[in-house]
Amino acid sequence: MTVAVLGAGAFGTALAVTLAQNGPVTLWARDAAHVAEMQASRRNDRRLPMAELPENVSVTAEIEAATQAPVLLLAMPMQQMGGFLTAHAARLAGKTLVACSKGIDLTTGRGPTGLIAAACPDATAAILTGPSFAADIARGLPTALTLACTEDCEALQARLSTPTLRLYRSTDPLGAELGGALKNVIAIAAGVVIGAGLGDSARAALMTRGFAEMSRLALRLGARAETLAGLSGFGDLVLTCTSAQSRNFRFGQALGAGEEFDPTTTVEGVATAKAVSVLAQKRGVEMPIATMVAALSEHRITVSDAAQALLSRPLKEE
């Protein structure tokens, strides 16, 4: 079962590096100049400079060549995935498409597997998600992720697992993708707490109440509670709310401290917070933390006002 990774960001590159232990991998990037650099240096100096590309990782800018593999890992920013799927739907038909992005599409309100199903109904849609940093995967540090698909995916699980990358199967792709998307919003809020100097106790409280928000919306949309309590939900929440390796956490930290953040860095939680606020309102789900993150990200409210608004909410049972 040959594999191609579409998207040569840090995470896509890390997946190509580790999956090369199981056989040849194609790594696709849309930028031909970037591909030429990687082919010459055997590294992705733009996104993951610490990792050397194994010999059996071929790098290409030709989408026709990359999509010959039956299994395609879509490792591109969430807000670009819908356009990519629509543009290349014909050549993706019948493939196994594994989303490796976390978020909710602003235009449609769909998650990754929803976008795949809409654009490529003949493809098999799956999602690979959970607590993971690209650098850890590329270094071969132990990592466990969720592979979720509505169909049997034992063969896919075996192909995408390595001695240091352990995958657990799930038949709840909706829950898996919602956990991965929603935790980014809470990670921004956790960063704000630390950046504003509100302390670790406040962060722990925010993570706990944030998980309650995640669960409320996910269950309303049809996800399973055990999925949210697993790697793709609670596990990923813990990682991204407690480590500066998380871009969402770092963005929130800068926001809380009143500092500028690199505008070229993709922060999926910003778009997700906006999409979630709209979705929660439509579904009648109370999500005060996500709503505050959306307002903070758009500079419609100050950090102190956001904290006061959350702390002054009516007292209630847990």
Side-chain angles (χ1 to χ4, degrees):
M1 187 187 296
T2 56
V3 171
V5 180
L6 307 184
F11 195 67
T13 302
L15 287 174
V17 168
T18 193
L19 293 176
Q21 297 178 73
N22 295 344
V25 176
T26 299
L27 178 62
W28 174 83
R30 67 176 71 245
D31 185 342
H34 188 197
V35 167
E37 291 172 11
M38 289 188 283
Q39 289 172 336
S41 67
R42 300 306 298 170
R43 308 168 80 86
N44 186 348
D45 289 321
R46 297 190 188 185
R47 301 299 183 190
L48 197 67
M50 45 68 63
E52 185 171 342
L53 297 176
E55 290 183 3
N56 60 346
V57 172
S58 59
V59 188
T60 182
E62 300 297 326
I63 190 64
E64 295 84 358
T67 53
Q68 294 303 306
V71 177
L72 306 175
L73 276 64
L74 308 181
M76 56 197 64
M78 182 63 202
Q79 302 309 319
Q80 295 178 14
M81 186 177 292
F84 175 87
L85 290 167
T86 300
H88 301 290
R91 58 170 51 96
L92 300 177
K95 305 286 185 180
T96 295
L97 304 180
V98 184
C100 303
S101 302
K102 300 172 182 179
I104 296 175
D105 181 62
L106 275 173
T107 302
T108 64
R110 296 188 178 109
T113 60
L115 290 178
I116 293 171
C120 308
D122 295 330
T124 297
I127 183 165
L128 182 65
T129 184
S132 55
F133 290 135
D136 291 348
I137 292 175
R139 289 190 180 100
L141 299 178
T143 307
L145 299 175
T146 296
L147 176 67
C149 182
T150 55
E151 302 179 20
D152 175 52
C153 61
E154 285 192 49
L156 184 62
Q157 178 190 29
R159 176 59 181 91
L160 300 182
S161 295
T162 74
T164 55
L165 182 61
R166 181 177 176 84
L167 304 189
Y168 288 82
R169 293 192 311 277
S170 169
T171 55
D172 182 18
L174 175 63
E177 68 183 19
L178 284 171
L182 298 173
K183 62 86 189 176
N184 281 336
V185 179
I186 308 305
I188 291 176
V192 170
V193 166
I194 297 303
L198 301 180
D200 288 329
S201 297
R203 171 165 56 181
L206 181 134
M207 289 171 62
T208 306
R209 298 310 305 161
F211 182 69
E213 281 194 19
M214 291 169 55
S215 300
R216 275 200 300 272
L217 181 61
L219 293 179
R220 178 66 62 87
L221 295 176
R224 299 200 297 259
E226 59 267 27
T227 307
L228 271 293
L231 290 165
S232 59
F234 179 74
D236 214 355
L237 177 72
V238 171
L239 182 69
T240 52
C241 287
T242 60
S243 174
Q245 287 191 69
S246 164
R247 291 169 296 180
N248 290 281
F249 178 84
R250 292 200 312 273
F251 172 79
Q253 195 170 24
L255 201 58
E259 299 172 353
E260 294 294 322
F261 189 78
D262 181 3
T264 66
T265 300
T266 300
V267 182
E268 291 286 13
V270 173
T272 302
K274 184 176 180 180
V276 163
S277 297
V278 174
L279 185 59
Q281 187 175 23
K282 287 181 179 179
R283 294 289 184 143
V285 178
E286 195 175 26
M287 299 190 72
I289 296 174
T291 301
M292 289 302 171
V293 169
L296 281 169
S297 299
E298 296 174 350
H299 303 289
R300 292 187 280 110
I301 192 172
T302 66
V303 172
S304 59
D305 286 344
Q308 180 59 35
L310 291 174
L311 290 171
S312 63
R313 286 170 52 80
L315 299 175
K316 62 179 183 178
E317 291 185 353
E318 187 171 24

